[in-house]
Structures are given as structure tokens and as C-alpha cells.
Amino acid sequence: MACAPLLLEQFIYKKRNFAYAFVRHRLFVLCKQSLIRVQSAEGIKRIEISPKSNLKHLYDSVQNALKVDGFGLFKERNFLTELQASGSQLVGSSLRHGDMVYLKQMAGTSSRRTSTTVLDSQPFKTSTVSNPNSARPSFNVVEDDVDQALSKADGTIKRERDSKLCHHNANGRCVHCSSLEPYDESYLKEHNIKHLSFHSYIRKQTSGMDQGKYFVFDDINCRIKPGCREHPPWPKGICSKCQPSAITLNRQTYRHVDNVMFENTKIVERFLNYWRTTGHQRMGYLYGTYEQHTDVPLGIRAKVAAIYEPPQESTRDSINIQPDEFADDVDAVASALGLKKIGWIFTDLITEDASIGTVKQIRGIESHFITAQECITAGELQNRHPNPCKYASNGVFGSKFVTICVTGDKTKQVHMEGYAVSAQCMALVRDNCLIPTKDAPELGYVRESTDKQYVPDVFYKEKDQYGNEVQRLARPLPVEYLLVDVPASTPLQPIYTFTEYDKRQPFPIENRYIDGHLQDFNALSCYLSAWGEEEFLEAISDFHLLVYLYKMDMLPLRQHMGPLLEAVRTKNPNEAAQFKDVDVWKLLESLIQASSGGSGGTTSYPSGGASASAGASGSEQWTWTPGPGRATTAPSSTAAS
């Protein structure tokens, strides 16, 4: 019997014995302190605490060890389940030896807060995500309809059975005929697809073993993080906690929009009529919809239905965009018609030979495709129209807003080029870090740090004369690192959301202050008088006419145009006919009849849009000068001095 304790001791303390490890672990947990790891922004700190202590004691220990206050401790990395600072709940009942907890800075005193989770989640109570293993935002993001449809789509590329390589029956599959992923490099190269679609890129990032559980689009930050108390504010002090990281620019491999399609050529022709009439450049906003693009796996196409031209002063070499006090009205009309602002378009055309209709080739591989000022303007507009994304840390990432430049090609004919700027360019423009150069339109310049603003170092990579990849400081910066090509085209079969003008004269376009292009009551009278009673829906289905009627201050049409806009959207002639019975429309018809009868024919009744460019305030004024070596659009606040 004396040897029994010895045998037991040899059994327990024998090396590589699971009983030894188990007994030692249990003795440490029950008889000694538990080790809890606390992860914060400063790193990981180990806290020794008894399992029989309460969670309030744990909060006090963390506060003394890390010298912080106003924090919460959470079990998950995405801060969903908080450990409440309770005096009744024991540490051993919630945590085990070696567990990791995550510290999050919050308002209030940690020891007095009962549950910061309840307080923080109350405004987002209806949209809290219940998946504790995800690193994505804790609120639901309402994405665009096309994004929701593509996220549910299969997305794989179907292939037919190869009669030479496939040796199985019709129901079988092999490596030669099985479906390909939407990001398959060989397929994209074979079909000359230069960039991945945005949803194909997401599928690629979420195709691993973890199914993209921790995949998040992080927002690029070029500013100093505010609120650092360890030093005086910039320029008197800065530390590694608040200093933004250096940025290395990479060519973006994906794009949010894979194609821009104008419904018909007449949309662009009406836009170019101003340049053909005056020789001056022109700018406009594109209104349309987003839809699936079947030519690119999981692709998105922007379909343009109309071009709205804001108030502007233009010459042969410059465009000055004036404040537009009716911008909200235009967006309201477009929204009622099922449209939204999806991009902007501008001309850079110089006539070479008017007799044969040729223009000069200003842009190309030897000069530039888009200038630094145009990149800055595109980045500013894309920041104003962000893309909702459920994979983004702040709910938005990138933008579907596109840029169209109308210029001359190699054959000296007018053609369109589409672009978008990368997410890195959007961040540089948002944080006021990128400016154009004075003498080289194809080069941008990253600001240098001053007493008022700290700018992180920005680098890009290129190959030197020996073929080696070297890293250079972005002063200056070739804007090609910030661009993404977007093809622009028109369909073989024209599509008409609005009226197809064949022989009739269309209604004048807004903000064109030249003879024959003015929007006034006489123009409205002449236009409507040219249509018959049974053609009312076709006559009224003009985007520029609807905007003119909506903002007209002579008659209160705005409050009554809801049914009319719905009739135009659904192309319902019965609903349009019912609108003609409204009193305010009958009054307008009587005024038109009196005007066409001769008594009022000499009187002009301009709408509120006639003075849109005069005296407007509260909006930004832009100026740019398209052309070779003449740079293009940038808000005056970001342009180089």
C-alpha cells in the first residue's frame, strides 16, 4: 500500500500525459488567479484576477492597469456582447482562464455604466445584426436594388459541354465544362474584360474557408485622428496613435460600374447642339438608372435617360459652373420618374474643319486622357454620391458616379470616353490632399504638410529604365494611378424613356441663354400647341419640360404634378388624360390659347429658372478650362492657387 501514492504521483506527473495537463489547469483555475487578456487600441494587457471576483472588480483592475476611463469590455471583436460592470456576477461564470476581452472607449464612467450596449444600440434597435462572429458593421445597410439582386445571384459562368474534350454524358460535368467563378482570370482575359466587377471582387474576397467572415472595406483616412490627449494638437505634437498611415497608390482592379449606356443617340445630340451653335464647351449631369450588365460577370450598367444642364458660363476654353438653386427640384422630379443622378458629362471639342465636321484630337496616349482637375472634380462628385455597401466599416464605400468626356478620337470624330476614380483618389480629395499642377494637366500633386494640415506621405510604384519596380513620392503624381476606365456606348436598338422627337421641335433645354434655346412661356405655348389632344402623354414626356413646369412660379403646378409624373413613369395615357382636368392645368391651357391668339403673343413669362445663375447662394462655384494643357474641372476650394 505504501507504493500506491508513488504510482499515483507517477501517473499524474508523467510527461505527455493528458491527466497531468488537465489537473494542473484545474488547480490553477480553482486555487490561483485567472489570467484574462484585454485587447485595446494600445495592445494586449494581461490581468490576473480571482474567478470568484465580480465583474465590477474586473473593470476596476482594467482601469488601474491601463489608466483609462469611460470604456466597456466585450466578448467579441465587433463589440456586440458587453460584460456588464455588475457586483453580483462572478468572473468565473462569464470568463475562463486565458480568455480574451475587447476594450472599447465610450462616454461616461465605466464603473457607473450598467450597460453601454443597451445605450449605444438604442438608436439602431431595429437594425442590429445578430451574427456575433462577423466583423462587419452592427447596422443594416440599405443597398441599391441592383446590388441586392446581384448579391443573391449565382454569378457563376456557365459553359457548354465540349464535344472534343468532354467524355461524359450530357448530365455530367468535368474540368472542361464546369461553371467558372465570376473572377476567373482566363475568362476575363479571353473576353477582353479589363477590370473585375465590384460584386465579382467581393465574391473573390469572400470565397475562402471563412466565407469572408472578417472581410471589410476599411475607410482610407488621411487626417489626424482627433481627441488625442497625450500631446498638444498639431502642429505642436503628433503621435503614432493619431498619425495617419502612409498611402501607397495601387491601380484599382475592380470598378463599381462596368458600362455606361445612353438610351439613344438623340440624348447626346441635344447636349452637343449647344457646342455646335456657339462653339463653347458644355457640362451636364446624367440622370438614369442602374441595371445588371450581362456582358460582364455580375456587372452593373448605368443607363442614361436624360442630361440636365446646370447654370453655367462657358467659352471656347473654359466653363464656370454657377450655383443652382433648383438642384433639389430637379432631383425631386427625377426621383418621381424613377431616375437618379448617376454621373456627369462635359465636352472638350475644338473644330478642325467645319465643312466636313471634323474635330481636333486633344486627348490620347501621347498627351492625357483626363486631367488632374477632372480627377479632383470626379472625386468630389463621387464623395457626394457614395455607394451603400454592407461590407464597408462605415456603411458606404466607393461610388457608382461616372464621368463622361466628349472629345475627338484618332479619326477626328466626336466620341465619348468614360471614367471613374478609385477609392484612394476619393479619400485624397475628401481630405483635401490632392491638387492639380499648373503646367502639366496629366500630373497631380499631393500637398505638403503645413501648420494647419498634416498630410501623410503618398507613394506610387513604377518601373525605372532598367525594368526594376521602384517606389516614388507622389509629388508630382501621374493621375493614371487614380483612374478606372468605364466604356460608354449606345444600344443598337434605341430606347426611349421620354419622347422620341422625329419631326417636331423638342422643348428647349434649361439654362441656355441664346436665341432659340430660351425656356419661357412663349416656348411652352409654341411647344404644346404643336401637339394634338390625343398626343398629350407623348408631348408631356420630356424631362426638361417637366422640370420647367415643376419649378414654374407663375402657376402652382408643383403641388399637383404627382399624378402626372406617375403617368409619365408608367406611360399610362389614361392617368395623363385625368391630369388635364385639374383646374391649374386648365388655367395654363387658357393662358396658352390666349397667348397663341395674338393678345399675349408678345409677352414673355419666364419661369423661376430664368434667373438661376444670378444671386444664388449656398452652393459651390466651379471653374475649369478643358483642352490640351488647359486642365479641367475642380471646385475652387481644391484647385491649385
Side-chain angles (χ1 to χ4, degrees):
M1 297 298 295
C3 62
L6 182 61
L7 294 175
L8 180 61
E9 182 179 359
Q10 292 178 353
F11 174 75
I12 294 178
Y13 294 100
K14 186 178 180 180
K15 292 184 178 180
R16 301 181 182 273
N17 192 296
F18 76 94
Y20 165 75
F22 176 76
V23 171
R24 183 181 179 184
H25 174 75
R26 295 304 300 174
L27 289 175
F28 189 93
V29 172
L30 297 177
C31 303
K32 297 184 178 180
Q33 301 284 82
S34 291
L35 188 64
I36 305 299
R37 296 174 296 164
V38 180
Q39 184 178 27
S40 65
E42 299 181 357
I44 298 178
K45 185 74 173 180
R46 294 174 174 83
I47 304 296
E48 292 186 0
I49 190 171
S50 172
K52 298 182 179 180
S53 300
N54 53 42
L55 291 179
K56 186 176 182 300
H57 186 199
L58 175 63
Y59 268 83
D60 295 338
S61 301
V62 173
Q63 182 177 3
N64 296 331
L66 275 68
K67 306 299 182 183
V68 294
D69 196 9
F71 65 91
L73 299 178
F74 297 81
K75 289 185 177 182
E76 295 84 6
R77 188 185 299 271
N78 52 352
F79 310 117
L80 287 182
T81 305
E82 183 187 6
L83 297 173
Q84 301 182 15
S86 173
S88 58
Q89 188 175 4
L90 301 181
V91 174
S93 62
S94 303
L95 301 172
R96 296 182 179 180
H97 172 66
D99 279 358
M100 174 87 77
V101 295
Y102 302 91
L103 184 145
K104 180 181 180 182
Q105 289 290 136
M106 295 179 175
T109 304
S110 302
S111 59
R112 295 177 59 185
R113 286 185 9 262
T114 57
S115 177
T116 55
T117 304
V118 177
L119 296 176
D120 288 348
S121 63
Q122 186 139 5
F124 309 101
K125 191 172 184 180
T126 60
S127 58
T128 301
V129 176
S130 59
N131 183 9
N133 298 321
S134 174
R136 294 166 195 161
S138 59
F139 53 90
N140 289 331
V141 178
V142 181
E143 297 182 316
D144 293 339
D145 294 338
V146 64
D147 293 318
Q148 297 181 24
L150 289 174
S151 62
K152 299 176 183 177
D154 177 38
T156 56
I157 304 170
K158 308 298 181 183
R159 293 192 295 176
E160 299 294 334
R161 183 178 180 272
D162 195 316
S163 58
K164 296 181 179 180
L165 299 177
C166 298
H167 303 287
H168 50 76
N169 55 25
N171 296 327
R173 284 289 183 270
C174 66
V175 294
H176 304 291
C177 62
S178 59
S179 300
L180 299 176
E181 295 294 339
Y183 47 84
D184 185 78
E185 294 183 1
S186 59
Y187 177 86
L188 298 176
K189 186 176 181 179
E190 179 183 354
H191 290 76
N192 197 24
I193 300 175
K194 188 176 180 180
H195 296 86
L196 283 173
S197 66
F198 183 61
H199 284 270
S200 295
Y201 179 78
I202 291 177
R203 293 287 178 92
K204 184 177 181 180
Q205 300 298 321
T206 58
S207 61
M209 294 295 295
D210 60 351
Q211 297 297 312
K213 183 168 58 175
Y214 299 108
F215 170 66
V216 176
F217 286 111
D218 290 325
D219 186 26
I220 302 173
N221 183 29
C222 304
R223 298 177 179 175
I224 296 177
K225 294 181 181 179
C228 188
R229 301 179 180 179
E230 297 187 1
H231 54 79
W234 176 263
K236 296 183 178 180
I238 193 172
C239 66
S240 59
K241 299 177 185 178
C242 60
Q243 179 183 5
S245 303
I247 300 174
T248 300
L249 298 177
N250 299 310
R251 286 185 172 88
Q252 191 165 284
T253 59
Y254 60 89
R255 55 191 175 195
H256 292 269
V257 174
D258 302 280
N259 182 263
V260 180
M261 184 188 74
F262 291 82
E263 290 186 346
N264 53 79
T265 57
K266 293 182 179 179
I267 298 175
V268 184
E269 291 298 327
R270 292 184 67 184
F271 174 71
L272 294 178
N273 280 341
Y274 184 88
W275 168 77
R276 293 192 177 104
T277 303
T278 64
H280 296 172
Q281 308 302 332
R282 198 66 176 168
M283 176 266 184
Y285 291 117
L286 307 177
Y287 281 87
T289 57
Y290 296 111
E291 61 183 15
Q292 298 186 30
H293 185 43
T294 56
D295 294 344
V296 177
L298 297 178
I300 295 177
R301 176 168 57 195
K303 186 172 68 173
V304 181
I307 300 177
Y308 169 77
E309 301 177 13
Q312 55 194 286
E313 296 177 356
S314 61
T315 65
R316 180 179 177 271
D317 300 322
S318 66
I319 300 176
N320 184 9
I321 303 300
Q322 301 292 331
D324 188 3
E325 60 179 336
F326 297 106
D328 294 338
D329 295 339
V330 179
D331 292 340
V333 173
S335 178
L337 296 172
L339 308 176
K340 63 190 303 184
K341 191 183 293 184
I342 61 175
W344 68 300
I345 183 173
F346 64 92
T347 61
D348 189 6
L349 297 168
I350 297 179
T351 304
E352 183 178 66
D353 191 343
S355 61
I356 59 177
T358 57
V359 295
K360 294 182 179 180
Q361 182 189 3
I362 301 172
R363 301 166 185 252
I365 192 172
E366 296 180 355
S367 55
H368 64 277
F369 291 104
I370 194 169
T371 66
Q373 281 191 332
E374 292 163 1
C375 280
I376 294 172
T377 303
E380 173 69 20
L381 293 174
Q382 289 181 202
N383 282 320
R384 296 184 184 183
H385 303 85
N387 176 54
C389 180
K390 63 183 180 182
Y391 292 94
S393 57
N394 58 351
V396 293
F397 182 78
S399 174
K400 297 190 187 75
F401 205 82
V402 295
T403 299
I404 302 295
C405 175
V406 184
T407 185
D409 59 6
K410 294 181 179 179
T411 62
K412 299 183 179 180
Q413 300 298 318
V414 176
H415 86 300
M416 297 180 296
E417 298 174 350
Y419 301 98
V421 297
S422 64
Q424 290 179 325
C425 179
M426 292 174 60
L428 292 175
V429 173
R430 180 199 61 203
D431 296 334
N432 196 23
C433 297
L434 184 64
I435 57 176
T437 55
K438 292 183 178 180
D439 53 352
E442 72 279 5
L443 297 177
Y445 195 88
V446 176
R447 291 180 184 271
E448 299 181 3
S449 297
T450 62
D451 293 344
K452 297 181 179 180
Q453 180 186 6
Y454 174 84
V455 179
D457 291 333
V458 180
F459 302 95
Y460 68 95
K461 294 182 180 180
E462 66 175 2
K463 290 187 178 180
D464 59 9
Q465 57 183 344
Y466 304 106
N468 301 321
E469 191 175 64
V470 295
Q471 183 171 273
R472 302 191 185 281
L473 189 64
R475 298 188 181 107
L477 167 66
V479 296
E480 61 188 31
Y481 287 87
L482 310 174
L483 291 180
V484 178
D485 297 335
V486 182
S489 61
T490 56
L492 297 177
Q493 297 295 331
I495 304 172
Y496 292 93
T497 298
F498 300 105
T499 301
E500 176 185 359
Y501 293 104
D502 44 11
K503 297 180 180 180
R504 292 184 175 91
Q505 187 72 16
F507 187 73
I509 296 178
E510 60 281 332
N511 301 313
R512 292 187 177 183
Y513 306 116
I514 56 177
D515 292 339
H517 294 260
L518 291 176
Q519 280 189 354
D520 54 22
F521 190 81
N522 289 334
L524 176 65
S525 175
C526 295
Y527 174 80
L528 293 179
S529 299
W531 298 83
E533 290 288 336
E534 68 282 356
E535 299 175 317
F536 177 71
L537 178 60
E538 186 177 359
I540 207 69
S541 296
D542 186 292
F543 183 75
H544 308 283
L545 172 61
L546 293 172
V547 171
Y548 175 81
L549 295 175
Y550 191 84
K551 63 184 183 180
M552 179 183 288
D553 54 4
M554 184 179 67
L555 292 174
L557 283 171
R558 176 179 309 193
Q559 295 82 358
H560 307 277
M561 285 186 62
L564 177 62
L565 296 174
E566 180 65 19
V568 173
R569 187 184 69 84
T570 58
K571 299 184 182 297
N572 190 328
N574 296 328
E575 291 185 8
Q578 293 176 4
F579 177 78
K580 295 185 66 177
D581 297 332
V582 179
D583 294 338
V584 66
W585 184 259
K586 290 182 178 180
L587 177 59
L588 179 61
E589 286 183 333
S590 63
L591 292 175
I592 291 174
Q593 186 177 3
S595 175
S596 60
S599 60
T602 60
T603 304
S604 176
Y605 300 90
S607 73
S611 60
S613 62
S617 60
S619 182
E620 202 169 34
Q621 180 170 324
W622 298 349
T623 305
W624 81 81
T625 53
R630 299 175 299 176
T632 315
T633 4
S636 57
S637 59
T638 59
S641 58

